[in-house]
Amino acid sequence: SQQGEEDPQALSIQEGENATMNCSYKTSINNLQWYRQNSGRGLVHLILIRSNEREKHSGRLRVTLDTSKKSSSLLITASRAADTASYFCATGGDSSYKLIFGSGTRLLVRP
Amino acid sequence: GAVVSQHPSWVICKSGTSVKIECRSLDFQATTMFWYRQFPKQSLMLMATSNEGSKATYEQGVEKDKFLINHASLTLSTLTVTSAHPEDSSFYICSALGLAGEVWSNNEQFFGPGTRLTVL
């Protein structure tokens, strides 16, 4: 079952601007991960944040996690045209290691 | 490291035929692999969990007799779509969890590049 909802569904920005995507989930989690998917391709793992962490950085990426609100955000700073892709959050909750994916945000970065 | 491959990358078949998709972990052993299906402009939906040496665990609503999964070795899982119909046309993606401590403890799945199935 799909438990994550992301907003916005689509986002169009100018190169150089920041992009923020939000993810909400329903049940308790062990960790939350963000993935990128270029059109028609597989997924690329971007970053993992554990339930006891509040913020994490990786290069131009910043992820926050608010377990009280069951939400996370992904910020891409100084966006580039190559960042154009779909971005998915995915939550992992139990020992089965299953991931439940959010609905995704389609990001378009205009040159 | 942690590369997962899928074969074929795309396949077109006639309605009623069966199609086998392979998922391989190339540089690590994977006791657990996952199969997902993704329709255009939608998210990934988990179909089943494939465990080496045991029966797969299917998600609710996924027909196990239609989507046969075999995880015969620590580096290979196969998904067979039996008697495929046009509504089975989709992008099928697998992922793998490794035995390596880092992969296991981080719950990081490594994804294959996907297989696009088109049923005519």
Side-chain angles (χ1 to χ4, degrees):
Chain A
S1 61
Q2 184 170 309
Q3 73 157 355
E5 293 297 326
E6 292 181 56
D7 77 273
Q9 290 186 343
L11 179 61
S12 178
I13 59 174
Q14 201 71 36
E15 199 166 32
E17 294 179 339
N18 295 341
T20 300
M21 290 158 267
N22 302 295
C23 167
S24 62
Y25 56 93
K26 297 176 182 176
T27 62
S28 61
I29 63 171
N30 180 277
N31 61 76
L32 186 144
Q33 304 177 44
W34 285 89
Y35 289 85
R36 183 184 73 214
Q37 183 182 35
N38 289 85
S39 181
R41 309 289 285 272
L43 272 72
V44 174
H45 182 265
L46 296 177
I47 198 165
L48 178 151
I49 186 167
R50 293 187 174 83
S51 59
N52 61 352
E53 297 175 309
R54 291 296 167 259
E55 188 170 312
K56 205 162 183 179
H57 297 252
S58 177
R60 293 185 295 114
L61 306 180
R62 182 172 79 94
V63 168
T64 62
L65 178 64
D66 187 336
T67 53
S68 67
K69 295 181 179 178
K70 291 186 168 58
S71 67
S72 174
S73 68
L74 170 67
L75 168 68
I76 303 174
T77 59
S79 64
R80 305 166 182 168
D83 294 329
T84 294
S86 290
Y87 291 82
F88 296 93
C89 66
T91 53
D94 57 29
S95 59
S96 71
Y97 295 99
K98 292 195 297 187
L99 289 178
I100 305 300
F101 280 82
S103 51
T105 294
R106 295 192 305 279
L107 173 66
L108 171 64
V109 181
R110 304 186 303 275
Chain B
V3 177
V4 176
S5 69
Q6 281 185 242
H7 178 79
S9 56
W10 59 271
V11 57
I12 301 173
C13 69
K14 292 182 179 180
S15 185
T17 60
S18 294
V19 175
K20 180 185 285 187
I21 302 170
E22 293 183 349
C23 177
R24 293 182 186 273
S25 56
L26 298 185
D27 50 3
F28 66 102
Q29 293 180 318
T31 56
T32 301
M33 292 182 173
F34 300 91
W35 286 96
Y36 298 84
R37 180 168 53 183
Q38 184 181 32
F39 292 107
K41 295 186 178 181
Q42 294 188 25
S43 186
L44 280 73
M45 298 297 293
L46 180 64
M47 299 175 68
T49 303
S50 170
N51 296 297
E52 187 268 336
S54 64
K55 291 183 180 180
T57 303
Y58 290 82
E59 295 299 302
Q60 192 173 8
V62 178
E63 300 174 59
K64 62 180 181 181
D65 294 330
K66 180 168 183 62
F67 299 100
L68 301 179
I69 292 173
N70 187 329
H71 195 151
S73 77
L74 286 172
T75 58
L76 174 64
S77 175
T78 60
L79 169 68
T80 301
V81 183
T82 62
S83 187
H85 289 92
E87 57 266 30
D88 298 322
S89 298
S90 188
F91 193 53
Y92 291 87
I93 304 176
C94 72
S95 70
L97 278 176
L99 286 175
E102 180 177 351
V103 173
W104 184 262
S105 64
N106 281 343
N107 190 25
E108 180 179 336
Q109 296 181 23
F110 295 94
F111 284 81
T115 296
R116 184 159 304 284
L117 170 64
T118 302
V119 185
L120 302 176

